[in-house]
Amino acid sequence: MSSFDSYNAKTTSISYPWPAEVNGIERIALSAQGDLQRVLSAFFARPIVIALVYSETTRQKSLQSPMEPVQTPTEAIIQSASPESPITQTRQVHLQCAGKIVCTATSTVRITSPDCARLFLQEKYAIGQMFRRLEKVPAFELLSVALGPVKGERQPSSSFTVSKDDSKQLWRKYTLVIPNFECEILEVFPSREMFLRGENWLTGTRADSIPELGGIVATKVDGNSPMVFKQSLSLVLAAGFLIMLIFEVSIYAGGRSRFC
């Protein structure tokens, strides 16, 4: 299946070669174009915070010269950023919600202007915030999407595995490009359950809805809760029947018709 993201005056259409297993909520997150923080914040209804794991910055004095490490981005280095003297940073961040990692993003960013270098390296804008700050919509290309362990990628100094069972992971690789700021990003979501359980996954609550009964919604708190709910309901019904039976007997003993 080919990939496309197109629109005209009245129609928008988006299609990528998704794995057959992914659901609608996952497709929304996987198609985020530089605004994943906003998408996840809307989903969880909580702030999403960026926590830096590591960053490695290098630069070239010319396209023919070797890469040089940059420990501190001085004003001279910032001003030197250009297409002929690019600055590159490889970085990994955790997107955290309520103190829990909801995504690990490993990025390679190429910067070719002083303005972008200053915002990113000195003022510490995250990638998503860079596009909003510059008021630019990035060109987006989804390179790959898969379930389970990350394969076919160079392992950085921090592991791509962000959950104990990496078979539950969901990940994608994509590019975002605006003038003078180009990003290749690998994002790993720790578990597909986060998109299914939402708040309950975030807080660690084991809760699954069970069918409504008489307008009452029961919540499964643990493995025995459905049975407890049924037993409680049976006790309520039995108590009601016993009250009705006592009422009928009292009327009969009093010698009065219940239809009076």
Side-chain angles (χ1 to χ4, degrees):
M1 180 176 65
S2 60
S3 301
F4 58 85
D5 182 353
S6 62
Y7 71 94
N8 57 33
K10 296 182 179 180
T11 304
T12 295
S13 183
I14 181 172
S15 179
Y16 296 111
W18 313 111
E21 300 90 338
V22 301
N23 59 41
I25 295 295
E26 291 169 328
R27 287 195 293 272
I28 291 173
L30 292 169
S31 59
Q33 302 183 13
D35 59 350
L36 180 63
Q37 277 185 269
R38 292 184 69 252
V39 170
L40 292 177
S41 180
F43 177 69
F44 287 115
R46 293 170 181 250
I48 304 296
V49 179
I50 296 291
L52 180 66
V53 179
Y54 72 86
S55 65
E56 300 170 355
T57 306
T58 58
R59 70 160 180 158
Q60 288 178 280
K61 292 183 178 180
S62 70
L63 294 179
Q64 290 73 39
S65 63
M67 304 293 288
E68 299 178 356
V70 174
Q71 301 299 329
T72 302
T74 64
E75 184 61 26
I77 292 175
I78 294 296
Q79 288 298 325
S80 71
S82 69
E84 295 74 31
S85 182
I87 300 174
T88 301
Q89 185 180 94
T90 299
R91 69 199 320 250
Q92 187 173 96
V93 299
H94 288 158
L95 279 66
Q96 298 179 342
C97 185
K100 192 168 185 177
I101 298 172
V102 295
C103 180
T104 295
T106 305
S107 313
T108 299
V109 181
R110 188 172 184 269
I111 307 167
T112 55
S113 80
D115 288 342
C116 289
R118 180 172 292 101
L119 288 172
F120 191 69
L121 299 175
Q122 286 188 340
E123 299 187 25
K124 307 297 184 182
Y125 276 80
I127 290 174
Q129 280 86 339
M130 284 287 294
F131 302 123
R132 301 186 71 180
R133 174 67 174 77
L134 295 168
E135 298 181 345
K136 300 287 186 180
V137 177
F140 172 77
E141 183 180 2
L142 186 64
L143 303 177
S144 55
V145 176
L147 307 172
V150 177
K151 298 178 181 178
E153 302 293 338
R154 181 180 65 85
Q155 297 292 317
S157 58
S158 181
S159 173
F160 285 127
T161 300
V162 293
S163 63
K164 293 181 180 179
D165 183 1
D166 61 8
S167 66
K168 297 181 179 180
Q169 292 181 168
L170 176 64
W171 60 272
R172 68 169 178 163
K173 185 177 182 181
Y174 62 100
T175 59
L176 296 171
V177 178
I178 61 173
N180 303 311
F181 193 76
E182 304 174 5
C183 313
E184 183 175 274
I185 305 170
L186 174 69
E187 290 172 346
V188 183
F189 302 96
S191 174
R192 296 184 66 204
E193 289 186 13
M194 64 182 278
F195 296 108
L196 297 174
R197 298 176 55 212
E199 176 77 10
N200 292 327
W201 177 86
L202 191 64
T203 60
T205 304
R206 294 178 55 86
D208 304 298
S209 294
I210 64 175
E212 295 185 6
L213 181 60
I216 301 174
V217 179
T219 302
K220 180 180 177 183
V221 179
D222 54 43
N224 298 321
S225 292
M227 182 62 69
V228 172
F229 173 79
K230 292 178 181 178
Q231 291 174 349
S232 300
L233 183 61
S234 297
L235 289 174
V236 172
L237 294 175
F241 177 77
L242 181 60
I243 292 172
M244 291 179 62
L245 181 61
I246 293 173
F247 179 71
E248 293 286 342
V249 170
S250 65
I251 291 178
Y252 179 81
R256 294 181 296 160
S257 171
R258 62 179 178 173
F259 298 107
C260 292

